[in-house]
Amino acid sequence: MESSINTLRDLLTNPKHTRWIAPLLLVAETILCALIIWKVPYTEIDWETYMIQVKLFLDGERSYLKITGPTGPLVYPALHVYIYTVLYTLTDEGTNILWAQIIFAGLYLFTLALVFACYRRVGAPPWLLVPLVLSKRMHSIYLLRLFNDCWATLGLWAAIYLLQRRRFSEGAFAWGLGVGVKMTLLLAAPAVGAILLQGEGRGEAAFAGLYIVVVHVLLGLPFFGQDADTGLSYIYRSFDLGRQFLYKWTVNWRFVAEETFLSRPFAISLLVVHISLLLFFFQTRWVQPSAPSLLRFVKKWTGDLKEVEEKAISKKISPTFVMDAVLSSVVIGMLCARSLHYQFYAYVAWATPYLLWRSGGNPIFVMVVWGVQEYAWLVYPSTSVSSLLVMLALAIQVMMALFAPPVDHISGPPTEPEELRS
């Protein structure tokens, strides 16, 4: 009996077992996805609008002010349009929903495989993979709603994976493509910038940033080609940082009055909190490979930093540092967001278990907080209680990320197996 318990404990806690447990979970998820597509009715929300907007694009319309659909105007960057143009073609002009669901099931499984790979590289125990496959809301977002957030999430986790493998330019490019689908990924920009600068050095980081800008300009060229107003409408609609959201759809601020939710002071307060948290994380976490404080960091990187120093700093950008920085940056942004909608759960669901575990959370704590968060995102329509729980779960994750043990930048976290550090 004791031997069996020890074996089970080893299976659940020894990181070396994630190598074979992760593929088994993917097989199980493949079966589950097939059952969901077969048995659970598809729910129309934005797919029809996406298809109508694509049809207008294919018919030659280039003004974002005129590309609209049943649920509203086109408000996403150009790569969203191109992806759904391909889907429009593959699904008989959007009418073959089954084929669309199968494509999104493949997208879900591929992204989940990337998430598993990222978790393996930080030495996560096998039990931590379990909540990654249990989310009812995530299956709904991918298989029953076909939201574009699914493609943006692929860009997020592809970026993390590549950055963990020290392929910094490729990681930045993957993140940039994610932004090209939906600007929500701009929430990760502070962390991605800190990783690029310290991982590649000033020259390569600046080139990567410029390259991303050029790629976005190239992606948007069809919408700039007609006249200035068309180009301005593209920029305004797809990267509108001041967009006003409807109170009836908010998941995170239902417990405040609608008048407050729509007010300018409320928006400014959230922005101030967001910037303050980012500065605090820069000061205490994200500049640590280079300097003990943000001021020293700025002085070092604006001064005469020698190549040998840059290389020494680069060695400290470990897989754990990458996960810590990118996921905490995203969760900070989610906590301070003006409004979250249900599909935004795609950006936080797979980050939560890691952030709770990384700070020393035991399985019971991780599963309880994860379960509360999952419940809150399943309540429809949102209530004062559910939105409070959403905010509480996000606040806990930000706090845990702040107080996580320091990263052993050179050798990785204590639980990371030797073969995962290469």
Side-chain angles (χ1 to χ4, degrees):
M1 182 66 178
E2 184 177 350
S3 176
S4 299
I5 293 175
N6 289 336
T7 300
L8 179 61
R9 182 182 294 111
D10 181 66
L11 288 174
L12 292 175
T13 60
N14 193 333
K16 73 178 184 181
H17 295 306
T18 59
R19 182 184 295 273
W20 60 271
I21 290 177
L24 289 180
L25 289 174
L26 283 175
V27 171
E29 276 288 87
T30 302
I31 297 171
L32 179 58
C33 288
L35 289 173
I36 292 172
I37 293 172
W38 180 30
K39 292 291 188 180
V40 182
Y42 162 77
T43 304
E44 172 56 44
I45 297 181
D46 282 339
W47 175 262
E48 181 184 356
T49 292
Y50 294 161
M51 294 298 101
I52 290 174
Q53 291 170 347
V54 164
K55 179 66 164 56
L56 290 171
F57 170 73
L58 292 175
D59 287 343
E61 183 57 66
R62 294 296 181 266
S63 173
Y64 264 49
L65 298 178
K66 299 178 182 178
I67 301 178
T68 188
T71 60
L74 178 58
V75 292
Y76 308 118
L79 188 55
H80 157 86
V81 178
Y82 304 147
I83 289 173
Y84 279 86
T85 297
V86 174
L87 293 173
Y88 179 88
T89 303
L90 294 176
T91 59
D92 299 326
E93 300 182 356
T95 60
N96 192 335
I97 299 298
L98 175 60
W99 184 226
Q101 288 181 288
I102 292 172
I103 293 172
F104 272 78
L107 173 62
Y108 172 84
L109 293 168
F110 181 75
T111 308
L112 182 60
L114 278 178
V115 175
F116 284 162
C118 293
Y119 270 63
R120 281 195 64 232
R121 293 192 70 80
V122 298
W127 67 263
L128 198 62
L129 305 184
V130 176
L132 301 179
V133 302
L134 291 181
S135 173
K136 180 179 179 181
R137 176 58 70 189
M138 285 293 281
H139 288 94
S140 173
I141 289 170
Y142 276 83
L143 306 178
L144 304 178
R145 271 71 174 180
L146 313 179
F147 285 123
N148 64 349
D149 303 82
C150 306
W151 300 95
T153 300
L154 172 62
L156 173 66
W157 285 99
I160 293 173
Y161 177 73
L162 290 167
L163 292 171
Q164 283 183 322
R165 295 180 63 87
R166 304 186 61 77
R167 294 165 61 179
F168 297 112
S169 296
E170 294 95 326
F173 181 69
W175 170 77
L177 291 180
V179 174
V181 178
K182 198 164 185 177
M183 71 172 187
T184 306
L185 282 203
L186 287 173
L187 296 177
V192 172
I195 292 167
L196 284 179
L197 179 60
Q198 297 175 99
E200 283 200 310
R202 287 172 293 194
E204 291 297 324
F207 179 79
L210 179 61
Y211 184 66
I212 292 171
V213 172
V214 171
V215 167
H216 276 274
V217 171
L218 293 175
L219 289 172
L221 277 181
F223 303 99
F224 289 103
Q226 292 184 344
D227 53 58
D229 288 341
T230 300
L232 289 174
S233 73
Y234 170 71
I235 296 173
Y236 174 74
R237 290 288 192 185
S238 57
F239 295 99
D240 182 9
L241 297 177
R243 186 179 303 155
Q244 186 73 280
F245 295 97
L246 295 177
Y247 181 71
K248 68 177 182 178
W249 296 120
T250 186
V251 175
N252 55 330
W253 292 115
R254 181 69 63 182
F255 59 90
V256 304
E258 183 172 4
E259 182 181 355
T260 301
F261 175 80
L262 297 174
S263 69
R264 184 172 178 82
F266 181 68
I268 293 174
S269 298
L270 290 175
L271 179 60
V272 170
V273 173
H274 191 180
I275 293 174
S276 299
L277 282 172
L278 289 176
L279 289 174
F280 197 66
F281 268 76
F282 268 112
Q283 170 74 17
T284 60
R285 309 288 301 187
W286 300 342
V287 303
Q288 294 306 304
S290 300
S293 69
L294 181 56
L295 182 60
R296 294 273 296 276
F297 174 86
V298 172
K299 287 182 177 179
K300 175 171 289 190
W301 286 99
T302 55
D304 185 22
L305 190 63
K306 295 180 174 58
E307 183 179 352
V308 64
E309 293 180 273
E310 288 191 359
K311 289 183 178 180
I313 292 170
S314 178
K315 291 180 181 180
K316 300 177 183 180
I317 307 302
S318 70
T320 300
F321 181 83
V322 169
M323 282 275 276
D324 283 1
V326 175
L327 295 185
S328 59
S329 185
V330 170
V331 172
I332 289 169
M334 297 283 280
L335 176 67
C336 302
R338 178 74 176 273
S339 183
L340 298 177
H341 297 169
Y342 287 99
Q343 61 267 37
F344 285 33
Y345 193 49
Y347 305 107
V348 70
W350 286 329
T352 299
Y354 172 79
L355 291 173
L356 298 175
W357 164 79
R358 172 72 177 88
S359 57
N362 61 44
I364 294 177
F365 173 78
V366 172
M367 294 305 295
V368 167
V369 175
W370 173 86
V372 169
Q373 176 175 266
E374 177 74 12
Y375 162 77
W377 284 85
L378 286 173
V379 175
Y380 177 81
S382 63
T383 65
S384 295
V385 173
S386 71
S387 63
L388 272 171
L389 292 176
V390 165
M391 295 301 290
L392 177 62
L394 290 172
I396 290 174
Q397 290 169 67
V398 171
M399 181 183 68
M400 299 296 274
L402 181 61
F403 294 109
V407 177
D408 181 352
H409 299 291
I410 299 299
S411 60
T415 57
E416 187 178 65
E418 185 65 33
E419 66 268 17
L420 298 185
R421 299 176 196 159
S422 59

